[in-house]
Amino acid sequence: MTAAPPLSPTDRSTVRRGAQRARTDRGELYAVLDAGLVGHLGVVLDGAPVVLPTGYGRRGDTLYLHGSTGAATLRAAAAEAPVCFTVTHVDGLVYARSAFHHSMNYRCAVVHGAARVVTDPAERLLGLEVLTEHLAPGSWTATRQPDRRELAATALLTLDLAEASVKVRTGPPVDDERDLAAPVWAGVLPVRTVVGEPVPDPLLDPAVPVPGRVSGRRLG
Amino acid sequence: MTAAPPLSPTDRSTVRRGAQRARTDRGELYAVLDAGLVGHLGVVLDGAPVVLPTGYGRRGDTLYLHGSTGAATLRAAAAEAPVCFTVTHVDGLVYARSAFHHSMNYRCAVVHGAARVVTDPAERLLGLEVLTEHLAPGSWTATRQPDRRELAATALLTLDLAEASVKVRTGPPVDDERDLAAPVWAGVLPVRTVVGEPVPDPLLDPAVPVPGRVSGRRLG
C-alpha cells in the first residue's frame, strides 16, 4: 500500500490492550490522520492533564497544530514538554447478543512527542497553508492569504510523527459461543461523518456561486 | 431549559480563549455529553500525557468511563490522579474570504477531576448499564446481561461532573471588513454524524429481524 517505513513503536506507543488491533503500517497512520477534522491534544499543566480539541494538518512526517485552542498548549510546547495528540474515527456501533460484548468499530492514531512552537515566518506560512488545506482543500489559493499581522497572530505548533501507534477495530461482534443461538439481533450499525448543503454567509453577495471546493467536499 | 444548577467553573475550567464562546448552563453540558459516542480521556503517566478514546455514559452528574481502553487509565485512576475527559462534536466547516478566518463550528465539553475505580458489584452493574444504554439504547434489556465473570472482568471508572466547561462555536465566518466585497464564497458546510444501514452478523439467523432499537437509532 505504501513505501513509507513501518511504524516502530517505542515502549510508550506499543499497543497493549487488544494488541491484535494494532497496525504497524505508516500508511495507515497517515490515512487515519488525513481523514480527521480535529484531534485531541493532551498536555500536562501543574501536574494535571488538559485535553483540548485541536485543528491540524499533516505534511510528510510533520503535524502542524493550531496553537490558539488554548494558552495551555502553548505554555507546554514552549517548554518543550511532552504532548499527546490523538485522532479517532467512530466507524460503527457493534450490537452483540450480550451487553458485555457491545463494542465500537473505530480507527485511532495516537502520537507522542514534544511539540515545538513555530517562529520562522516562512514556516508559519507553510503551516497555515497545511492547516487551511486540511480543513478546507482548495481554500488556500482561492482566498486571501495571511498578511504579516495575521501571521504574527497565529500560534502554530509542530509535532513529529516519530512515535505513533494506530489501532483499528472492524467487523461483527464477537459473542460467546453460548449466546450465538439467542434470538437477538447482532451486527454493526455503520457510523459516518457527512457534510450537508452549504449555508452561505448572510453577508455574501448571492451572485457568488458555491465553488466546487465546497460543493464537492467529502469527508474521509 | 433545565432546572440543574449552572456550571461553576474553577480557575482551571474557566474558558480563556474565545470566552464569548463559553456556556454556563449545566443543561448544555449534559446535551454535549449525551450526544457523543466517544470521549478522549487524558491521564499523566511518568510525567507525560496519554490521550485515549474512551466509551462512556452519564447518569446525573456522574460519568461512567470504560476503563478497558488502556491500563494507563486504570493506573492513573487507581492512584486517584487527576484526569481530563473531553467530548467534541464538529458541526460545520467555516469557509471565510481569507485563509486566516477559516474555522470550525463545534460543541466541546471538558471535564476535570479525579477518576475513581468502581469496585462495588452493584455499582459495576449500574455502570455497565449506563455505558451500554449510551452506546446502544435499548440493548441492556434486549440482550443477555453480564454474569459474575463478565462483571469482574469489566474495568469501570467514574468521574464527577463537578468541574466542567462547555464551549460552542456556531454561525457564519467572521471576516475582516476589508474582505467582505471579495468575490469569494463564504459560509458554512454543515457536518453531521449519521448511521447507515444495519449490517447483520454473518453468524446471525436471518430470521431474526432488525429491532427498532437498531433501525431507529439516531445520533445526536
Side-chain angles (χ1 to χ4, degrees):
Chain A
M1 279 176 59
T2 172
L7 297 177
S8 303
T10 61
D11 183 64
R12 181 168 56 178
S13 67
T14 297
V15 174
R16 293 172 198 293
R17 311 252 342 171
Q20 78 282 5
R21 294 177 186 161
R23 304 299 170 94
T24 53
D25 187 313
R26 189 158 283 270
E28 290 211 57
L29 173 66
Y30 295 165
V32 171
L33 292 172
D34 294 354
L37 291 173
V38 294
H40 281 81
L41 179 66
V43 299
V44 180
L45 267 188
D46 303 329
V50 176
V51 178
L52 293 176
T54 302
Y56 69 98
R58 183 184 68 84
R59 185 168 185 267
D61 280 319
T62 301
L63 279 185
Y64 288 90
L65 309 177
H66 208 289
S68 73
T69 46
T73 60
L74 286 175
R75 272 171 58 191
E80 299 207 357
V83 305
C84 181
F85 185 73
T86 301
V87 173
T88 305
H89 306 270
V90 175
D91 293 326
L93 307 176
V94 181
Y95 288 78
R97 298 158 182 88
S98 63
F100 183 74
H101 284 297
H102 275 65
S103 186
M104 257 183 245
N105 284 337
Y106 65 91
R107 290 161 289 150
C108 177
V110 178
V111 183
H112 300 276
R116 180 175 58 85
V117 179
V118 178
T119 52
D120 177 67
E123 194 185 2
R124 271 180 190 266
L125 193 67
L126 171 67
L128 259 178
E129 177 178 351
V130 171
L131 280 179
T132 303
E133 286 295 298
H134 183 90
L135 176 75
S139 277
W140 184 253
T141 50
T143 67
R144 181 178 62 73
Q145 290 183 20
D147 61 22
R148 188 175 304 196
R149 188 188 53 79
E150 290 172 337
L151 269 186
T154 300
L156 203 66
L157 310 176
T158 64
L159 180 60
D160 282 342
L161 293 180
E163 192 182 343
S165 61
V166 176
K167 204 168 163 184
V168 175
R169 190 205 189 279
T170 59
V174 181
D175 267 311
D176 289 0
E177 191 76 29
R178 60 172 160 163
D179 295 323
L180 288 181
V184 174
W185 193 85
V188 175
L189 194 58
V191 173
R192 283 179 309 137
T193 303
V194 299
V195 300
E197 289 298 309
V199 179
D201 182 354
L203 301 178
L204 183 71
D205 178 350
V208 177
V210 181
R213 67 187 163 90
V214 176
S215 60
R217 181 90 163 95
R218 297 292 173 268
L219 301 178
Chain B
M1 278 176 60
T2 173
L7 297 177
S8 303
T10 60
D11 184 64
R12 181 168 55 177
S13 67
T14 298
V15 175
R16 293 172 198 293
R17 312 252 342 171
Q20 78 283 4
R21 293 177 187 161
R23 304 299 170 94
T24 53
D25 186 314
R26 188 157 282 269
E28 291 212 56
L29 172 66
Y30 295 164
V32 171
L33 293 171
D34 294 353
L37 291 173
V38 293
H40 282 80
L41 180 66
V43 299
V44 180
L45 267 187
D46 303 329
V50 176
V51 178
L52 293 175
T54 302
Y56 68 98
R58 184 184 68 83
R59 184 169 185 267
D61 279 319
T62 301
L63 280 185
Y64 288 91
L65 309 176
H66 208 289
S68 73
T69 47
T73 61
L74 285 177
R75 273 172 56 191
E80 299 208 356
V83 304
C84 181
F85 185 74
T86 302
V87 173
T88 305
H89 306 270
V90 175
D91 293 326
L93 307 176
V94 180
Y95 287 78
R97 297 158 182 90
S98 62
F100 184 74
H101 284 297
H102 276 65
S103 186
M104 257 183 244
N105 285 337
Y106 65 90
R107 290 160 289 151
C108 176
V110 179
V111 183
H112 300 276
R116 180 175 58 84
V117 179
V118 179
T119 52
D120 177 67
E123 194 185 1
R124 270 180 190 267
L125 193 66
L126 171 67
L128 258 178
E129 177 178 352
V130 171
L131 280 179
T132 304
E133 286 294 298
H134 183 91
L135 177 75
S139 277
W140 184 253
T141 51
T143 67
R144 181 177 62 72
Q145 291 183 18
D147 62 21
R148 189 175 305 199
R149 187 187 54 77
E150 289 172 338
L151 269 188
T154 300
L156 202 66
L157 310 176
T158 64
L159 180 60
D160 282 342
L161 293 179
E163 191 181 344
S165 61
V166 176
K167 205 169 162 182
V168 175
R169 189 203 189 280
T170 59
V174 181
D175 267 312
D176 289 359
E177 191 75 30
R178 59 174 159 163
D179 295 322
L180 289 180
V184 175
W185 193 85
V188 175
L189 193 58
V191 172
R192 282 178 309 138
T193 304
V194 299
V195 300
E197 289 299 309
V199 179
D201 181 354
L203 300 179
L204 183 70
D205 178 350
V208 177
V210 181
R213 67 186 164 91
V214 177
S215 61
R217 180 91 163 94
R218 296 293 173 268
L219 301 178

